[in-house]
Amino acid sequence: MEILKGNAIVGQSGGPTAAINATLSGVIRGALASDCIGTIYGAYNGVEGMLAGTYCDLTAFFADETKLTTLETTPAAALGSCRKKLPKLDGSDPTAEATYEKLFAFFKELDIRYFFYIGGNDSMDTVAKVSAYAKAHDYEIRVMGVPKTIDNDLVVTDHTPGFGSAAKYIATSMAEMLRDCAVYTVKAVTIVEIMGRDAGWLTASAALTRLNGMEPDLIYLPERAFDLEQFFVDVKAALDRHPNVVVAVSEGIRTADGTYVCELVSNSGTDAFGHKMLSGTGKALELAVKERIGCKVRSVEINILQRCAAHLGSLTDITESVSVGKAAVEAAASGLTGKMMTIERVSTDPYVSRPGCEDIDKIANMVKHVPDEFINEAGNGITDAGVAYLRPLTEGESYPAYHNGLPVFLSLK
Amino acid sequence: MEILKGNAIVGQSGGPTAAINATLSGVIRGALASDCIGTIYGAYNGVEGMLAGTYCDLTAFFADETKLTTLETTPAAALGSCRKKLPKLDGSDPTAEATYEKLFAFFKELDIRYFFYIGGNDSMDTVAKVSAYAKAHDYEIRVMGVPKTIDNDLVVTDHTPGFGSAAKYIATSMAEMLRDCAVYTVKAVTIVEIMGRDAGWLTASAALTRLNGMEPDLIYLPERAFDLEQFFVDVKAALDRHPNVVVAVSEGIRTADGTYVCELVSNSGTDAFGHKMLSGTGKALELAVKERIGCKVRSVEINILQRCAAHLGSLTDITESVSVGKAAVEAAASGLTGKMMTIERVSTDPYVSRPGCEDIDKIANMVKHVPDEFINEAGNGITDAGVAYLRPLTEGESYPAYHNGLPVFLSLK
């Protein structure tokens, strides 16, 4: 194993999660502990900051290590994020060469020999490209992707850092809404829309409430074609059982012909400004139930709250997110490059996991769906096997410190 | 002071809060400790249960007092709720006599001499009517209202039980959303709709984030007439200052002529089923910003999450909610009747409060608005005086116990 000495840079990319800063903390902890890494720099807004030369010295900032625990319970990317994809290296993009030259000039200037990128699918694409360019141009650098996404839709890893906290927040909020909806005796339907365009992992986590005694009557994921007529049958049957029906739906559910449910309703209306009224999936189903069943109905969209609720993180998730960040540094120091860190599930009960890693090329642009055995036959609920997979990921409570009644968050910008 | 011995009944009414069960626990604690009260019964679904004869024996259920702490962190009315108003006693309602006879027959049958009713404005109306009927018919009973509402819109009390927890949840979620919105460099507006039809207390609590370093750029309450043109000017000025603009609005904001902002947009659209598209206030403003400013814009409705989020209660609120329930029993045992319990603020810094009570007739059907000195001159923000009033109500964290990664809630039905 070859020892490589130099500085490191870390960036964050893609949508916010409650755990992305825990992973950043893990990377910083790993770098501070490593003999190979001199200074660890933080790029503002991912590769955008590396191209613009906007960054900070994290080694200096975190000389006081107590700040790291605050960072671990601070939601959303503390370094800022970006959606930028690096240009293709196949010669199809005339700006490519200039972009990579600028990026690598920045690396040379700061003697960057370690590159850590925390993000989702698109970010792993960046890791793959930086790795490939470095190899082709003989610039010695160890390039590691560290996954994060609330969507849990990355392949090769048992689950993604950030998912467990979002799942815990959704399940807890669902448990509370089930109580909220149960107080009246009048027949009513509540439709809760949960994030997930292509994969239903977050929506499935609403079924965790089974472990607490009350659960949604119906759960629909994008993994199964949605049938509006069958939905009415399902809802009516639930209303026959009890007055307060609660339904969880993924934002991305679509009918067999591929039409998003939200498009079923948003086609005809225009607002006072002449705009098409774009309603969400929950709202669309609310209107459909009102029309066809006629009972009291409302929809709730958990929206961005589910991806940034650091006030109730999963301790398992936050702990693993730190570990996987640290392990990324150790893996790079040991000689690995062009890899994405993973979490391997060693056992479910008792729950044991460990960090692993896989070639970055195996990951980019693939989606991990909820498997068939986690979805019931009717396609409107989650099996006990699904609940068993999800449960350990939400175990334990991660709370931030509070001051003046508000959580204390850390600012790096 | 006359000693009155007998049994007690307690009911819950109106919309859910995270603290209404803490008050129920206080009433039960008070009753268990009282020499005057034999058994305390819980009516299911408020007066509906008293009229239907559906109730439970709380003295027996809570023989194991440890259940009371679980009850205190269980959201929404554990006994169920109702929206039922008792008929008027002025002779205008021909069903009135039969209704009250049924109710008081129920009281006689169970030897109910203490009546505790936990709810909002409408519930205080029930308290006033039961009290008046008892007096007119010489049935000796002590009747006490114990307030709860997340809206904080009841007069004579400094604040209402349930408000502090909702305010803490809103402020915390806002602090997290401000982080979430700040990660990108692209200009974007996020509009957060918060509950409050007539009073802006909950929306004002979004300004508490000032104490944590980041706050919404603009806050609009129903206490001030909303001007759409001025709103565009305000948003544009905010976008000139920084790219990520966050706006908090009360659902009930309206223009000078009384038109609700949500009606400005929902007039023209119809959905695929021919229904009027009813959009919320946040959605209406989202569409307006898209039209007039053209930048990236989204709206978030916190919805029912804000009234049932027991996973993050204000410890001050939960503690006061228990105290005021207990104090209601003590006040009734001491001879008072026809009163609503209040919370008196003795001092703000350090924060000291104590339970009080006022004649029920002073309260019913009045709304307490956010005072002028809490709203800035431009009508788009909260003053430091407003923040100073709100802060102590959200101090301290109340957390439920967790099992299997989920909060443990208590069921009484």
Side-chain angles (χ1 to χ4, degrees):
Chain A
M1 175 196 337
E2 195 193 346
I3 289 174
L4 175 66
K5 296 215 172 196
N7 297 320
I9 195 149
V10 57
Q12 295 173 301
S13 177
T17 81
I20 188 169
N21 290 327
T23 298
L24 176 62
S25 171
V27 171
I28 298 167
R29 287 181 189 277
L32 293 177
S34 171
D35 293 336
C36 300
I37 295 172
T39 299
I40 177 154
Y41 296 103
Y44 291 137
N45 302 103
V47 285
E48 274 181 19
M50 302 185 203
L51 289 166
T54 49
Y55 61 94
C56 60
D57 179 341
L58 295 170
T59 302
F61 188 86
F62 288 101
D64 168 13
E65 211 196 281
T66 59
K67 286 180 190 163
L68 286 170
T69 50
T70 305
L71 180 62
E72 284 158 17
T73 51
T74 296
L79 288 168
S81 183
C82 70
R83 295 271 183 204
K84 190 178 177 66
K85 272 191 139 180
L86 287 176
K88 286 188 181 169
L89 288 159
D90 59 6
S92 64
D93 186 336
T95 71
E97 200 51 40
T99 302
Y100 287 97
E101 273 175 16
K102 198 169 183 188
L103 186 64
F104 278 76
F106 172 74
F107 291 165
K108 270 177 209 152
E109 192 192 319
L110 292 184
D111 191 28
I112 301 294
R113 298 292 163 184
Y114 290 90
F115 175 98
F116 302 102
Y117 213 50
I118 309 168
N121 229 321
D122 286 350
S123 312
M124 295 311 130
D125 178 81
T126 298
V127 171
K129 284 170 177 163
V130 169
S131 176
Y133 187 90
K135 210 167 175 183
H137 292 75
D138 271 338
Y139 182 85
E140 200 175 10
I141 187 168
R142 308 252 169 94
V143 181
M144 299 294 285
V146 196
K148 72 84 215 155
T149 167
I150 59 165
D151 292 324
N152 198 36
D153 60 352
L154 294 185
V155 294
V156 307
T157 184
D158 178 74
H159 56 278
T160 54
F163 170 67
S165 291
K168 186 184 188 81
Y169 178 77
I170 288 165
T172 298
S173 297
M174 181 56 79
E176 292 168 339
M177 286 191 283
L178 284 162
R179 294 281 166 163
D180 184 290
C181 294
V183 302
Y184 295 117
T185 51
V186 177
K187 274 185 194 294
V189 176
T190 301
I191 298 160
V192 181
E193 179 185 327
I194 297 167
M195 282 181 170
R197 199 80 178 158
D198 299 309
W201 294 104
L202 288 171
T203 306
S205 66
L208 284 165
T209 49
R210 182 175 309 163
L211 302 168
N212 148 305
M214 284 171 94
E215 64 179 309
D217 298 274
L218 299 162
I219 299 178
Y220 300 95
L221 313 187
E223 278 79 1
R224 295 286 173 91
F226 186 79
D227 183 325
L228 195 56
E229 290 306 317
Q230 185 57 48
F231 169 71
F232 293 135
V233 172
D234 291 352
V235 170
K236 279 181 194 159
L239 281 167
D240 284 344
R241 287 196 300 275
H242 60 162
N244 309 110
V245 170
V246 176
V247 183
V249 297
S250 284
E251 59 176 334
I253 52 170
R254 30 191 187 268
T255 56
D257 68 359
T259 309
Y260 283 101
V261 168
C262 55
E263 292 174 328
L264 287 180
V265 169
S266 59
N267 282 338
S268 54
T270 52
D271 63 34
F273 304 97
H275 271 136
K276 242 190 204 186
M277 292 283 279
L278 290 169
S279 82
T281 302
K283 191 75 181 171
L285 292 177
E286 175 192 328
L287 294 167
V289 168
K290 191 176 284 169
E291 172 70 19
R292 281 290 290 275
I293 301 181
C295 65
K296 209 182 141 199
V297 54
R298 78 179 141 210
S299 58
V300 178
E301 194 184 340
I302 303 187
N303 215 311
I304 58 171
L305 296 164
Q306 67 201 284
R307 71 181 192 196
C308 62
H311 72 266
L312 180 63
S314 152
L315 190 58
T316 299
D317 180 37
I318 299 297
T319 307
E320 286 182 340
S321 297
V322 174
S323 301
V324 85
K326 246 163 117 173
V329 177
E330 288 157 10
S334 81
L336 296 176
T337 185
K339 307 272 183 192
M340 181 185 87
M341 298 304 295
T342 62
I343 300 173
E344 294 170 19
R345 185 186 298 230
V346 179
S347 79
T348 284
D349 195 10
Y351 178 70
V352 180
S353 73
R354 66 174 171 230
C357 67
E358 284 285 351
D359 282 350
I360 198 80
D361 304 323
K362 283 194 192 164
I363 290 110
N365 309 317
M366 304 224 278
V367 173
K368 185 179 71 179
H369 293 286
V370 177
D372 277 348
E373 65 264 31
F374 290 179
I375 307 173
N376 71 359
E377 218 166 313
N380 61 14
I382 304 303
T383 62
D384 286 342
V387 169
Y389 162 85
L390 293 165
R391 188 195 49 75
L393 311 183
T394 64
E395 280 279 7
E397 292 69 54
S398 162
Y399 296 128
Y402 279 75
H403 180 62
N404 281 326
L406 284 160
V408 178
F409 296 145
L410 191 88
S411 283
L412 283 175
K413 293 190 76 173
Chain B
M1 178 198 331
E2 196 191 343
I3 290 174
L4 175 64
K5 297 215 173 196
N7 297 321
I9 196 150
V10 57
Q12 295 174 300
S13 176
T17 80
I20 187 169
N21 290 328
T23 298
L24 176 61
S25 172
V27 170
I28 297 168
R29 287 182 189 277
L32 293 177
S34 171
D35 294 335
C36 299
I37 295 173
T39 298
I40 177 154
Y41 296 103
Y44 292 138
N45 302 104
V47 286
E48 276 181 17
M50 301 185 204
L51 289 167
T54 50
Y55 62 92
C56 59
D57 179 341
L58 296 170
T59 302
F61 188 87
F62 288 101
D64 167 13
E65 211 197 281
T66 59
K67 287 180 189 164
L68 286 170
T69 50
T70 306
L71 180 63
E72 285 159 17
T73 52
T74 295
L79 288 168
S81 184
C82 70
R83 294 270 183 207
K84 190 177 176 64
K85 273 191 140 181
L86 287 176
K88 285 189 183 168
L89 287 160
D90 59 5
S92 63
D93 186 335
T95 71
E97 199 52 40
T99 302
Y100 287 97
E101 273 174 17
K102 198 169 183 189
L103 186 64
F104 278 76
F106 172 74
F107 291 165
K108 269 176 211 155
E109 193 191 320
L110 292 184
D111 191 27
I112 301 294
R113 299 292 162 183
Y114 291 89
F115 175 99
F116 301 102
Y117 212 52
I118 308 169
N121 229 320
D122 286 350
S123 313
M124 296 309 130
D125 177 79
T126 298
V127 171
K129 284 169 177 163
V130 170
S131 176
Y133 186 90
K135 209 168 175 182
H137 292 75
D138 271 338
Y139 182 85
E140 201 176 9
I141 187 168
R142 309 251 169 96
V143 181
M144 300 292 286
V146 196
K148 75 81 218 159
T149 168
I150 59 165
D151 292 324
N152 199 34
D153 60 351
L154 294 185
V155 293
V156 307
T157 184
D158 178 75
H159 56 280
T160 55
F163 170 67
S165 291
K168 185 183 190 79
Y169 179 77
I170 289 165
T172 298
S173 297
M174 180 56 79
E176 292 168 340
M177 287 191 281
L178 285 162
R179 295 280 166 163
D180 184 290
C181 295
V183 302
Y184 296 118
T185 51
V186 176
K187 273 184 194 296
V189 177
T190 301
I191 298 161
V192 181
E193 179 183 328
I194 297 168
M195 282 181 170
R197 201 77 180 160
D198 298 309
W201 294 104
L202 288 172
T203 306
S205 65
L208 283 165
T209 49
R210 182 176 308 165
L211 302 168
N212 149 305
M214 283 171 94
E215 64 179 312
D217 299 273
L218 300 162
I219 298 177
Y220 300 95
L221 312 186
E223 278 79 1
R224 294 287 173 89
F226 186 80
D227 183 325
L228 196 56
E229 291 305 318
Q230 185 57 47
F231 169 71
F232 293 134
V233 172
D234 291 352
V235 170
K236 280 181 193 157
L239 281 167
D240 285 343
R241 288 195 299 275
H242 61 159
N244 309 109
V245 170
V246 176
V247 183
V249 296
S250 284
E251 58 176 336
I253 52 169
R254 32 192 184 268
T255 56
D257 67 1
T259 309
Y260 282 102
V261 168
C262 54
E263 293 173 327
L264 287 181
V265 169
S266 60
N267 282 338
S268 53
T270 53
D271 63 36
F273 305 95
H275 271 136
K276 240 190 206 187
M277 292 282 278
L278 290 170
S279 83
T281 302
K283 192 74 181 172
L285 293 177
E286 175 192 328
L287 294 167
V289 167
K290 191 175 283 170
E291 172 71 20
R292 282 290 291 276
I293 300 180
C295 65
K296 208 181 142 202
V297 56
R298 81 181 138 211
S299 58
V300 178
E301 194 182 341
I302 303 186
N303 216 312
I304 59 171
L305 296 165
Q306 67 201 285
R307 71 181 191 196
C308 61
H311 72 266
L312 179 63
S314 152
L315 190 60
T316 300
D317 180 36
I318 299 297
T319 307
E320 286 182 342
S321 296
V322 174
S323 300
V324 85
K326 244 163 119 173
V329 177
E330 288 157 10
S334 82
L336 295 176
T337 185
K339 307 273 182 190
M340 181 185 87
M341 298 304 295
T342 62
I343 300 173
E344 293 171 18
R345 186 185 296 231
V346 178
S347 79
T348 284
D349 197 9
Y351 178 69
V352 180
S353 72
R354 65 174 172 230
C357 67
E358 283 285 351
D359 283 349
I360 199 80
D361 304 324
K362 283 192 190 165
I363 291 110
N365 309 316
M366 304 226 276
V367 173
K368 185 178 72 179
H369 292 286
V370 177
D372 277 350
E373 66 265 31
F374 291 177
I375 306 172
N376 72 359
E377 217 167 315
N380 61 14
I382 304 302
T383 62
D384 287 342
V387 169
Y389 163 85
L390 293 165
R391 188 195 51 74
L393 311 184
T394 65
E395 281 278 9
E397 292 69 53
S398 162
Y399 296 128
Y402 279 76
H403 180 62
N404 281 326
L406 283 160
V408 179
F409 296 146
L410 191 88
S411 283
L412 283 175
K413 292 191 79 174

